[in-house]
Amino acid sequence: MTSSAPHVMASRLQRGRDRVFTGRTAELALYRAALAGGDNAPAVIFVHGPGGIGKSMLLRRFAAEARAAGRPVLEIDGRIVQPTPESFEREAETAFTRRDTVLIIDTFERCQGLEGWLRERFLPRLPDGVVTVIAGRQAPDADWTSDPGWADLLHRMALRNLSPDEATALLHACGVPRHSQAELLAFTGGHPLALALAAAVAVRDTEHAARWKPSLDVVGTLLARLVGEVPSPMHRRALEVCARAHVTTETLLRVVLGDDATALFAWLRELPFIETAQDGLFPHDVVRQALEEDLRWRDPEGYAELNARLGRHLFEQLRSSPVNGTLSAVRSFLFLYRDDRYMSDFNSWRGTGEVRLTPYEADDRHRIEALATEVEGRESAALARAWLERRPDAFRVCRTARENKAVGFSAWLRLTEAPDAFPDPVAEAAWNHARATRPVRDGEHVAVARFSVTSTEYPKISPVENLHQWRTLAEVARTEGRVAWMYIVVRAGTFWTPYMTSLGLRPIAERPRVGALTYTLFAIDWRVQPVWAWAEEKTRLMLSHIRGGPRAAEADSTEVLPRTEFTVLSRPEFDTALRDALRGLSRPRELSSNPLTRSRLTADTGRTLPQILADAVEGLRAQGGGEKYYRAVSQTYLTKGMPTQQAVAARLGLPFSTYRRHLTGGIARLSDALWRQEIYGAPASADDRVHHSAGHPAAAG
């Protein structure tokens, strides 16, 4: 009885493993071909992938199939064997005795230093017919593929996540009820270890399984198994940057980690759970989630600080990117807000390489008209044709990356006057609302996202729709200060309302109709809440939800933007406020109530109104013939004690009429210069930009 117990236990273990083994169909097929032999069968299979991806489970399945076929199996664990050629050869000596041996080497990353010796010295001496399987976190080095002798003998087998169907099958095999599987699948993304851990928790706690979130124990286990030991706190911070950002570049690391960025980036790109893309590095989804959950729990203030620093950098990239780079910058910036409920519901960062947004070309005209007719009707297509004739540069076409097929288009109309060239009920509704609510000033325009047409083969939430929405933020950020009202046009209905209102846009009362369709216009005045203030408020809400947990997020689910509002002045109101501010420079209480303190002039710089006025007065000297204007204005308003105008004229040695002419001309020039800053924003110096970032911790996020 005693001698048979190990056999019984091993059988039960194998049955349990077989019960939850799912997927890996292609991998098993290739392994079986290797066992069968043949001219094209590989002699060495190198399995690689991040921790917890299922390498060991697959190797156990390989071993079981080999034994079932009557082949001897020799298993070597890299965690146990000494990483020296002598120790390894002692462990593997029986592999040389039979041609049908299957040699399985697991956890090879623990003896990675033997790779060259294994390739050059050990494996070539094995009898022909031996099948060797090596599994580790690191991919085989380039010397395998550069050697033509190994070209037909070695097969690289990169393990990835289970597919959605395979992951669902695994949860079902573990006993997780179907109604409880969605949250687990969302967190794990098909990662086998994460699935197994999540399933174990969900089966024990069926009451809360439908609202499952990773526990600290699950997160800790994942980090230990997936990431392992980290060399230093700086390396840990590099991982956290990589987890928080959409993609990580050396430039982005330098923003947070300074001069150590080069070495840390090189370290990151060698990690088995870090993927390389055209734009930079990104971690495996479950590693990203585990690192973020751990940082939020362990250091919430550090999490907020990291988010703010990344946000500032990414927003500045968004504002300064060339036209062809703005959508990539928007994608990375908005990815920071993926924890926001509506942002994640209405945006998807998967499949972003599937489509691209390109400038309109003359050959696109017929396709645009066909799409507009198919999706919105003949009347809308006629309006699209009319706008194309007048504003072709306003149109962008969304194309598939592979076939270059146009699958959508959008138009970004800039209106500086009533659109009366032809009747367009939607553009007219936008202009009329702006004029009646808060008129556009000289130098500003109304922006209308007039068309956001997506082919019917794509759902509402899709990479195409994302590009339409992301374009609006790119356009606003690049023309910040010149865009007054912005209107996003959607077909009437309630689908988009929660998302738009969460962004601070409000539906206007008028519902214009084109053909059989009625449209809703969601509006925001970017003068009342500049883009950086909008982003700052979004960050505050998101972090408050995270810090407060699910209950806080649920309680605040109706909280929407904006909160910070600024005064929008007409030019006559601006001139009056400026004269009042100059007279009130020595009276702080009076100055604090001046409308300019709540205008874009001050809000967008982080400087006080007296500082701005003093700099502007100093700027008069740089203008042609400006010295006389500077002297009159500075002596009148910037001199302590605020002398009478007669005293100033005497001090300057000027007739009073000449002094008054200089003072009036100086104030007019001052007003023109500051009005330009109010409308277009002031070109900031490097010191100003640093000050601005310090004054607004999430001024860009």
Side-chain angles (χ1 to χ4, degrees):
M1 178 72 70
T2 303
S3 61
S4 64
H7 174 73
V8 173
M9 184 67 73
S11 298
R12 292 177 62 187
L13 278 171
Q14 190 60 46
R15 286 197 301 271
R17 289 164 177 165
D18 288 344
R19 178 173 54 85
V20 297
F21 187 91
T22 60
R24 309 307 188 200
T25 305
E27 290 84 353
L28 286 170
L30 184 130
Y31 173 69
R32 289 163 184 162
L35 291 182
D39 294 339
N40 297 320
V44 178
I45 299 173
F46 204 124
V47 182
H48 62 94
I53 202 67
K55 298 184 296 295
S56 294
M57 179 169 279
L58 181 62
L59 263 57
R60 284 193 288 266
R61 184 61 172 260
F62 285 174
E65 294 208 1
R67 291 189 179 102
R71 300 187 64 159
V73 176
L74 175 59
E75 298 179 82
I76 297 177
D77 190 333
R79 294 170 297 182
I80 299 173
V81 67
Q82 290 293 318
T84 65
E86 296 78 15
S87 295
F88 189 94
E89 193 145 348
R90 281 195 300 270
E91 290 285 334
E93 60 183 354
T94 59
F96 294 95
T97 62
R98 290 183 57 170
R99 296 181 57 195
D100 58 349
T101 299
V102 174
L103 173 61
I104 295 179
I105 307 167
D106 197 5
T107 325
F108 186 63
E109 68 271 10
R110 294 296 183 93
C111 49
Q112 198 80 36
L114 296 176
E115 186 172 2
W117 170 82
L118 201 73
R119 180 181 60 249
E120 302 294 337
R121 302 288 184 181
F122 178 82
L123 292 175
R125 292 189 288 117
L126 289 175
D128 188 23
V130 171
V131 173
T132 302
V133 181
I134 306 169
R137 296 189 176 192
Q138 307 293 338
D141 66 37
D143 289 337
W144 294 88
T145 53
S146 64
D147 185 342
W150 282 107
D152 297 328
L153 297 176
L154 174 77
H155 179 85
R156 292 179 49 168
M157 184 180 287
L159 287 194
R160 302 297 182 188
N161 281 3
L162 299 176
S163 70
D165 289 342
E166 293 166 346
T168 301
L170 189 152
L171 291 178
H172 183 71
C174 291
V176 178
R178 187 170 297 278
H179 69 273
S180 303
Q181 293 175 3
E183 290 289 342
L184 277 68
L185 291 171
F187 170 72
T188 62
H191 187 277
L193 174 61
L195 279 165
L197 292 172
V201 175
V203 169
R204 289 198 307 267
D205 188 7
T206 56
E207 180 182 351
H208 299 97
R211 300 187 305 276
W212 184 89
K213 294 293 180 185
S215 67
L216 295 178
D217 289 341
V218 169
V219 169
T221 302
L222 287 173
L223 287 178
R225 292 283 299 276
L226 275 59
V227 177
E229 292 293 328
V230 177
S232 74
M234 289 288 279
H235 290 80
R236 169 70 65 175
R237 197 59 166 169
L239 279 173
E240 291 163 354
V241 171
C242 200
R244 192 69 195 135
H246 184 251
V247 290
T248 298
T249 61
E250 191 174 314
T251 301
L252 188 66
L253 276 185
R254 191 172 294 111
V255 171
V256 179
L257 301 172
D259 294 338
D260 294 316
T262 300
L264 290 168
F265 186 82
W267 173 75
L268 281 174
R269 72 191 305 178
E270 295 299 323
L271 296 176
F273 51 83
I274 298 293
E275 304 282 348
T276 301
Q278 184 176 358
D279 297 335
L281 307 176
F282 65 94
H284 191 287
D285 286 349
V286 76
V287 176
R288 185 194 292 278
Q289 292 243 41
L291 285 167
E292 285 212 279
E293 292 289 344
D294 179 66
L295 179 59
R296 289 172 190 164
W297 164 75
R298 178 171 47 82
D299 185 10
E301 295 303 321
Y303 178 86
E305 187 274 335
L306 175 62
N307 196 82
R309 187 176 295 192
L310 292 176
R312 285 197 296 271
H313 172 74
L314 292 172
F315 187 73
E316 190 55 40
Q317 279 195 330
L318 170 58
R319 298 170 89 173
S320 58
S321 291
V323 174
N324 60 357
T326 50
L327 289 185
S328 175
V330 171
R331 177 191 64 199
S332 295
F333 176 67
L334 291 182
F335 189 74
L336 293 177
Y337 295 91
R338 61 193 180 277
D339 299 307
D340 175 271
R341 171 188 169 189
Y342 292 114
M343 194 69 76
S344 61
D345 285 349
F346 287 85
N347 289 273
S348 173
W349 288 270
R350 296 185 183 277
T352 51
E354 178 184 336
V355 291
R356 57 196 178 93
L357 208 60
T358 63
Y360 164 77
E361 298 174 1
D363 292 343
D364 296 321
R365 176 168 178 165
H366 294 301
R367 178 58 177 161
I368 285 178
E369 291 182 20
L371 276 171
T373 302
E374 176 189 12
V375 177
E376 298 196 346
R378 291 193 303 273
E379 295 85 356
S380 187
L383 289 175
R385 183 167 56 250
W387 281 114
L388 271 171
E389 292 173 354
R390 292 162 177 80
R391 307 276 182 90
D393 58 328
F395 284 76
R396 295 290 182 272
V397 180
C398 193
R399 307 178 196 276
T400 58
R402 289 189 177 181
E403 300 89 359
N404 203 37
K405 177 185 176 183
V407 291
F409 71 92
S410 63
W412 181 260
L413 304 178
R414 295 184 177 92
L415 306 179
T416 56
E417 58 185 6
D420 53 8
F422 56 91
D424 180 353
V426 173
E428 290 167 2
W431 183 263
N432 292 337
H433 175 268
R435 183 181 59 184
T437 310
R438 197 176 289 116
V440 176
R441 305 173 295 186
D442 289 343
E444 297 175 338
H445 63 264
V446 168
V448 185
R450 174 62 185 90
F451 297 100
S452 295
V453 173
T454 300
S455 171
T456 54
E457 65 191 81
Y458 283 86
K460 282 185 177 178
I461 304 300
S462 69
V464 182
E465 191 61 47
N466 287 159
L467 289 184
H468 292 329
Q469 300 295 334
W470 295 353
R471 184 191 176 192
T472 62
L473 181 57
E475 296 282 4
V476 169
R478 294 184 67 252
T479 57
E480 188 182 8
R482 285 168 284 171
V483 58
W485 285 96
M486 180 186 78
Y487 298 87
I488 295 181
V489 182
V490 300
R491 274 188 266 178
T494 60
F495 179 82
W496 291 105
T497 300
Y499 179 53
M500 294 297 176
T501 54
S502 77
L503 297 176
L505 286 83
R506 299 291 183 272
I508 69 173
E510 186 175 354
R511 298 286 191 274
R513 189 175 181 86
V514 177
L517 296 180
T518 303
Y519 294 89
T520 298
L521 279 68
F522 289 91
I524 187 170
D525 188 342
W526 289 114
R527 300 165 299 180
V528 171
Q529 188 183 45
V531 181
W532 64 259
W534 169 86
E536 185 178 48
E537 193 65 19
K538 285 295 293 179
T539 300
R540 187 194 68 77
L541 289 176
M542 181 184 69
L543 293 178
S544 69
H545 293 172
I546 291 171
R547 287 167 178 158
R551 290 185 179 178
E554 189 174 325
D556 287 345
S557 62
T558 58
E559 190 172 9
V560 294
L561 301 176
R563 284 192 164 195
T564 305
E565 293 195 357
F566 301 103
T567 302
V568 180
L569 301 171
S570 66
R571 181 60 192 267
E573 292 170 335
F574 184 89
D575 291 343
T576 299
L578 174 61
R579 288 191 293 270
D580 291 343
L582 289 169
R583 288 192 290 265
L585 278 173
S586 62
R587 299 185 290 275
R589 181 174 298 180
E590 180 180 322
L591 192 65
S592 66
S593 62
N594 190 286
L596 293 182
T597 61
R598 300 182 300 281
S599 72
R600 173 182 164 82
L601 182 68
T602 53
D604 200 28
T605 62
R607 296 183 296 161
T608 65
L609 183 56
Q611 289 173 326
I612 291 171
L613 293 178
D615 288 348
V617 171
E618 183 67 29
L620 292 174
R621 307 179 80 166
Q623 301 179 16
E627 183 66 29
K628 59 187 177 185
Y629 301 119
Y630 162 75
R631 295 174 62 207
V633 176
S634 63
Q635 290 293 323
T636 303
Y637 297 115
L638 302 184
T639 303
K640 291 184 178 180
M642 294 296 288
T644 64
Q645 292 188 1
Q646 287 81 1
V648 174
R651 182 184 301 171
L652 295 175
L654 296 173
F656 188 71
S657 60
T658 302
Y659 156 75
R660 285 286 300 170
R661 189 168 63 254
H662 291 176
L663 180 63
T664 301
I667 292 174
R669 290 189 174 205
L670 194 67
S671 186
D672 286 343
L674 291 174
W675 178 253
R676 283 194 296 273
Q677 290 187 33
E678 168 76 6
I679 300 299
Y680 300 107
S685 66
D687 290 341
D688 290 337
R689 285 192 293 270
V690 171
H691 180 83
H692 178 79
S693 294
H696 300 286

